[in-house]
Amino acid sequence: MSRPSRLTIQIVSHGPGCLDGVVAAATVARFFDGHRVIPTFAANGESDETIQHLALRTHGDGDEIWITDLSWNSTSTGEHLNELAKMGARVYWIDHHRSAVSRADAPEFKVTFAGRVLSERFSAARLTFNYLAHRVANLPAPKARAFTDFSRIAALADDHDRWVHKLKDSADWALAVQTLGSIDSYREILRMREPVLSRKLMRALGEGRAAMARSRDIARATIVDRELPGGLKLRTACCFGYSSEVAADLYAAEHRTVIALFDLRSQGVSLRRSTDCEVDLSTLARSLGGGGHAAAAGFFMEALRRAPAEELSEVLGARLSGLSNPAEAR
């Protein structure tokens, strides 16, 4: 039976505000221009729930599901994807995180994929572009050219996400997307014909630079250093978003240092390391339910979300209990 001429493409990609996740999703959408495309962006800790909520939008033979720059942890998620595949959906998975690549044969990934690319060689956006580029001959000439031109934007995402920074302005793109948010950035990038920041993204870049400076100041004011065996150093701090940029500031003059930032905005922990540190942060994050790359990873920990309130309760509780007259506390 032939497939419908108009497909429904559901994309689940990494967010919020991740340049690589946004561009990976936009790459799929650019290739399927003219079809119904529904993007969703999820943080690492939200991937299982988000994927398990996916449902067919057609009778199955017109459905495609693309999961990019993201993995999952539950076997129930894999079982759900298999159910969708049995009903006719074509399921694709493209990821570059070490925590996914190293677990490629895990039970939760035993899915009947129509296509799967797991590699640390490039970012998810570039892996997605390269994968779809092999099918570009199936597109009408104008759409093929529009898709091929998108390679320059995919290259920007790859340059920043792998921290290569050989392409001018790739860091600015990442900062603008992080500030504007995934869905608005996706819409802006999807309509681009040239790799030039739109006015909306330029405004977001200016706002992002100011917000990043505030987040950096919070981090510098909350640094706690701990010396560990073997000459390793742990530097923890709080920030308010922009964890990659803030971490780079904190490890700039450090040696063999692991940076752990509790992001007051996302309520997650971001792990980074100084350039001479060889600790595999993806392994550390995975042991705490997260994931990522060797040099950049993250996780969520419920206890950390309550820690500031608990500490404040202890401090104020002790003071209030010591007052003979509660009115004196005013």
Side-chain angles (χ1 to χ4, degrees):
M1 183 172 64
S2 61
R3 305 193 75 201
S5 58
R6 190 168 188 264
L7 305 174
T8 295
I9 312 297
Q10 296 186 70
I11 308 167
V12 180
S13 198
H14 187 210
C18 170
L19 175 63
D20 194 38
V22 166
V23 174
T27 300
V28 175
R30 177 64 67 91
F31 183 86
F32 288 101
D33 182 34
H35 296 274
R36 184 187 183 197
V37 179
I38 305 168
T40 302
F41 296 92
N44 291 321
E46 303 168 337
S47 60
D48 282 287
E49 181 180 4
T50 301
I51 295 169
Q52 288 181 33
H53 275 88
L54 290 173
L56 298 187
R57 301 298 183 106
T58 70
H59 295 297
D61 57 340
D63 279 273
E64 292 199 4
I65 293 167
W66 289 75
I67 302 168
T68 57
D69 200 30
L70 199 66
S71 64
W72 54 94
N73 297 304
S74 172
T75 54
S76 297
T77 303
E79 291 167 1
H80 181 65
L81 289 172
N82 272 324
E83 284 299 315
L84 296 177
K86 287 178 184 177
M87 289 188 284
R90 296 171 65 82
V91 181
Y92 298 84
W93 180 32
I94 300 178
D95 198 4
H96 72 131
H97 293 99
R98 177 169 294 184
S99 52
V101 176
S102 64
R103 295 185 298 128
D105 296 324
E108 58 268 29
F109 300 144
K110 298 296 184 183
V111 175
T112 305
F113 292 110
R116 185 179 84 160
V117 179
L118 299 178
S119 172
E120 292 185 83
R121 184 179 180 188
F122 299 117
S123 76
R126 187 167 174 185
L127 290 173
T128 302
F129 180 87
N130 290 349
Y131 179 79
L132 286 168
H134 292 296
R135 296 164 52 179
V136 77
N138 299 326
L139 297 177
K143 290 185 178 181
R145 286 194 297 271
F147 177 77
T148 302
D149 288 345
F150 206 72
S151 66
R152 293 175 290 174
I153 296 176
L156 284 166
D158 180 72
D159 182 69
H160 178 76
D161 204 76
R162 294 192 299 117
W163 218 249
V164 177
H165 289 169
K166 290 184 178 179
L167 297 181
K168 184 177 182 293
D169 300 332
S170 68
D172 287 347
W173 278 70
L175 184 55
V177 167
Q178 187 176 174
T179 304
L180 186 59
S182 293
I183 195 65
D184 285 338
S185 297
Y186 162 86
R187 290 168 179 157
E188 290 292 304
I189 290 172
L190 185 56
R191 65 171 64 104
M192 289 180 180
R193 291 295 178 263
E194 298 288 336
V196 178
L197 288 173
S198 66
R199 282 185 290 181
K200 194 170 186 177
L201 282 166
M202 283 297 295
R203 286 196 299 270
L205 175 60
E207 294 168 4
R209 285 171 173 163
M212 183 179 66
R214 292 192 293 270
S215 184
R216 181 197 60 216
D217 291 343
I218 291 171
R220 288 177 177 175
T222 57
I223 288 175
V224 176
D225 286 335
R226 174 176 294 188
E227 300 295 334
L228 302 176
L232 193 65
K233 181 178 179 179
L234 172 64
R235 170 166 283 189
T236 58
C238 296
C239 69
F240 194 82
Y242 309 96
S243 54
S244 292
E245 294 82 0
V246 171
D249 178 76
L250 296 191
Y251 66 62
E254 299 299 318
H255 301 285
R256 301 203 63 221
T257 300
V258 172
I259 303 291
L261 289 172
F262 178 60
D263 189 339
L264 297 165
R265 185 172 68 180
S266 70
Q267 303 290 289
V269 176
S270 291
L271 301 172
R272 300 293 187 270
R273 67 187 187 185
S274 59
T275 54
D276 63 345
C277 182
E278 297 181 352
V279 174
D280 187 340
L281 299 180
S282 68
T283 301
L284 175 59
R286 193 162 64 247
S287 71
L288 294 163
H293 305 289
F299 63 92
F300 285 86
M301 183 177 288
E302 189 64 31
L304 289 176
R305 301 176 65 183
R306 292 180 52 85
E310 290 174 347
E311 180 67 19
L312 186 60
S313 177
E314 288 293 324
V315 172
L316 293 183
R319 294 293 182 94
L320 287 169
S321 299
L323 297 175
S324 58
N325 182 358
E328 294 180 25
R330 293 196 296 269

